[in-house]
Amino acid sequence: MKFVSQLLQPLLTIPKNAKIKNTEITCKSQKLLLECGLIRPTASGLFALLPLALRAVDKLEALVRHRIEEVGGQRLSLPALTAANLWEKTGRMSEELLKVQDRTGRSFVLAPTHEEAIADLLADVGPLSYKQLPLLVYQISDKFRDELRPKHGVLRARSFRMLDAYGAHASHEHAVTTYHRVTDAYQKLFKDLHLKVYRVAAECGDMGGSESHEWQLPAPAGEDRVPTDGGSVSSVEVGHTFILGTRYSATLGAHCVPPSGPPQPLHMSCYGIGITRLLGASLEALSTDTALRWPAAIAPYRAILIGPKEGSKEWALYDPTRVSELYEELSHTTSLRGDLLCDDRHQMTVGKRLLMADKMGYPEVIVIGKAALETPPRFELRASGRVQLLTWPELMMALAGVETGRATAQI
């Protein structure tokens, strides 16, 4: 069983306009993630992801991997440190990059992205035959940026999780074809999350290339603007995609062998999604000022079971042993396997634990309350803004997604 009492979840009460370890509270997602014990600041712009937050990140990464691999992505892992001379060759050395030197004085960059590293890798293993193309590789890893003004918690941090994927192609036309396939996968990902993310044409900037799009999620704390049917709104950039052309491949010697003629520079494309930024932005978009609201697919736990208060009438029939039996039965349903939490803080009232569960934003809350003493016993299911009182078989059917036909009340 997974118990709330055993979680590493340091709950906080943050006074208005408070500062915690030099971290200004500037948006609701940051405030709620701190208050609910999901993240903890370690320095300005740096955060520890605690167990509940990391469960959500793991779920999000699994969805991203599924969609990228569905269009042919192959997973790899590149070192966080990239030789600084590669960035110098491409002209991208800047103040935003975190730089280090080893004991011999050789310079490295703690990379925020890996276009140089990928082009260098393809040069090392190439030239590739046109028959091996298109090639799409990706990784999800920690990235680093020396942000001048880190703010909004995980929305603009110095260390962050990111998907970065790279396409290699024999021609610009092939790069465009892959670009459309991958951006279609982006659309499917955001549909999985039930988020309305806008694809917006953007400047290529320092990245270079012929085409790029930002992926913007409307959210109050956003520092960008996205046009909508009713005029523009604040938004957060959660992804960026580019057709790069031969900028990196020509500079760093990454080539392919065409059907005839000499080797030619590869045509490249790249695709980024800020994993931790998307997590924070989705909470910023969906949450209330006082309670987290998750895309259901990435909530840390799908459901939480709340047993009766110790010493209550319900306690006589539903003590910890009986609650454990019900938990085990629920856990064997396919929909809740590995995704159910038990609030075993029986010294607290059911009402107080309900308030805390609501603030955490669990998609489904199962309560053993007064109706559990009826004949037959009925159990409370709170989900999607409504309350249902269900018998045990009805509850199991509802959790499996089967409509019970019972009357419901709005929460």
Side-chain angles (χ1 to χ4, degrees):
M1 291 182 66
K2 299 174 181 178
F3 296 113
V4 170
S5 65
Q6 295 175 351
L7 290 175
L8 177 58
Q9 187 185 12
L11 303 179
L12 295 177
T13 300
I14 302 176
K16 189 176 182 181
N17 300 322
K19 293 184 179 181
I20 299 178
K21 288 191 178 179
N22 300 318
T23 300
E24 295 182 6
I25 310 302
T26 54
C27 65
K28 63 182 177 183
S29 60
Q30 178 188 13
K31 177 177 180 289
L32 290 168
L33 286 169
L34 287 166
E35 287 183 343
C36 292
L38 276 77
I39 64 173
R40 196 78 172 189
T42 60
S44 178
L46 298 174
F47 296 89
L49 299 180
L50 301 182
L52 289 174
L54 197 55
R55 279 184 64 89
V57 167
D58 287 344
K59 289 183 175 184
L60 180 52
E61 290 185 5
L63 288 174
V64 171
R65 288 196 303 271
H66 170 68
R67 289 303 180 187
I68 291 297
E69 292 183 3
E70 197 173 46
V71 291
Q74 301 179 56
R75 191 178 181 191
L76 50 64
S77 178
L78 296 166
L81 289 173
T82 303
N85 71 308
L86 297 178
W87 292 77
E88 291 165 353
K89 288 179 181 178
T90 60
R92 289 214 300 165
M93 188 66 75
S94 71
E95 292 183 353
E96 282 194 348
L97 299 175
L98 285 165
K99 309 168 190 75
V100 298
Q101 288 188 332
D102 66 14
R103 67 185 70 189
T104 68
R106 187 181 180 193
S107 296
F108 295 87
V109 168
L110 271 171
T113 184
H114 283 75
E115 286 75 20
E116 283 81 359
I118 282 290
D120 185 56
L121 174 66
L122 294 176
D124 183 51
V125 302
L128 300 176
S129 166
Y130 75 96
K131 295 180 180 179
Q132 297 173 267
L133 303 176
L135 176 68
L136 180 64
V137 295
Y138 79 96
Q139 63 175 352
I140 299 176
S141 60
D142 292 328
K143 308 294 193 297
F144 306 90
R145 183 177 291 124
D146 193 5
E147 285 280 0
L148 179 63
R149 291 174 55 247
K151 62 186 297 189
H152 295 338
V154 296
L155 292 182
R156 183 188 276 184
R158 288 177 169 155
S159 174
F160 49 95
R161 296 285 290 173
M162 191 176 90
L163 159 85
D164 49 324
Y166 305 91
H169 318 277
S171 68
H172 174 73
E173 291 73 23
H174 290 131
V176 170
T177 298
T178 296
Y179 188 80
H180 289 312
R181 290 175 60 229
V182 177
T183 54
D184 284 347
Y186 271 46
Q187 300 281 17
K188 291 178 181 178
L189 170 68
F190 298 130
K191 187 175 181 180
D192 293 338
L193 297 169
H194 298 283
L195 296 174
K196 190 169 182 60
V197 178
Y198 292 81
R199 182 177 118 152
V200 181
E203 297 292 330
C204 292
D206 291 339
M207 289 284 289
S210 60
E211 185 175 354
S212 90
H213 292 89
E214 294 176 351
W215 298 79
Q216 296 278 353
L217 174 62
E223 297 181 329
D224 296 319
R225 305 287 297 182
V226 64
T228 63
D229 296 338
S232 67
V233 296
S234 297
S235 61
V236 177
E237 180 189 326
V238 295
H240 209 145
T241 54
F242 297 84
I243 297 178
L244 297 171
T246 61
R247 172 184 177 181
Y248 299 90
S249 55
T251 302
L252 299 175
H255 293 84
C256 73
V257 179
S260 61
Q264 301 291 328
L266 288 164
H267 289 259
M268 293 178 62
S269 55
C270 70
Y271 314 89
I273 294 177
I275 299 293
T276 43
R277 174 178 278 200
L278 177 56
L279 178 75
S282 65
L283 294 174
E284 191 67 31
L286 300 177
S287 300
T288 69
D289 288 337
T290 57
L292 291 169
R293 293 294 179 262
W294 304 84
I298 62 170
Y301 286 91
R302 177 184 162 182
I304 185 168
L305 174 64
I306 298 177
K309 184 180 187 301
E310 186 175 4
S312 66
K313 291 181 180 178
E314 298 81 24
W315 181 259
L317 288 179
Y318 298 95
D319 62 7
T321 299
R322 181 58 179 147
V323 171
S324 295
E325 292 171 352
L326 297 178
Y327 176 97
E328 291 300 326
E329 190 169 344
L330 289 169
S331 296
H332 284 97
T333 63
T334 302
S335 60
L336 291 185
R337 190 167 295 147
D339 220 12
L340 175 65
L341 188 62
C342 181
D343 193 335
D344 60 327
R345 297 170 295 179
H346 303 297
Q347 74 281 8
M348 297 169 57
T349 65
V350 170
K352 185 170 184 179
R353 283 179 284 162
L354 270 174
L355 288 174
M356 297 174 78
D358 180 67
K359 185 169 184 175
M360 267 297 300
Y362 297 107
E364 295 167 335
V365 180
I366 304 159
V367 183
I368 303 173
K370 293 180 180 178
L373 298 180
E374 297 176 357
T375 304
R378 293 189 297 163
F379 303 87
E380 193 173 296
L381 175 63
R382 292 171 171 252
S384 303
R386 62 182 188 172
V387 181
Q388 295 176 281
L389 284 176
L390 305 171
T391 64
W392 190 254
E394 290 170 342
L395 175 63
M396 299 292 280
M397 290 173 63
L399 292 171
V402 179
E403 182 58 51
T404 63
R406 299 284 300 203
T408 61
Q410 296 298 313
I411 295 177

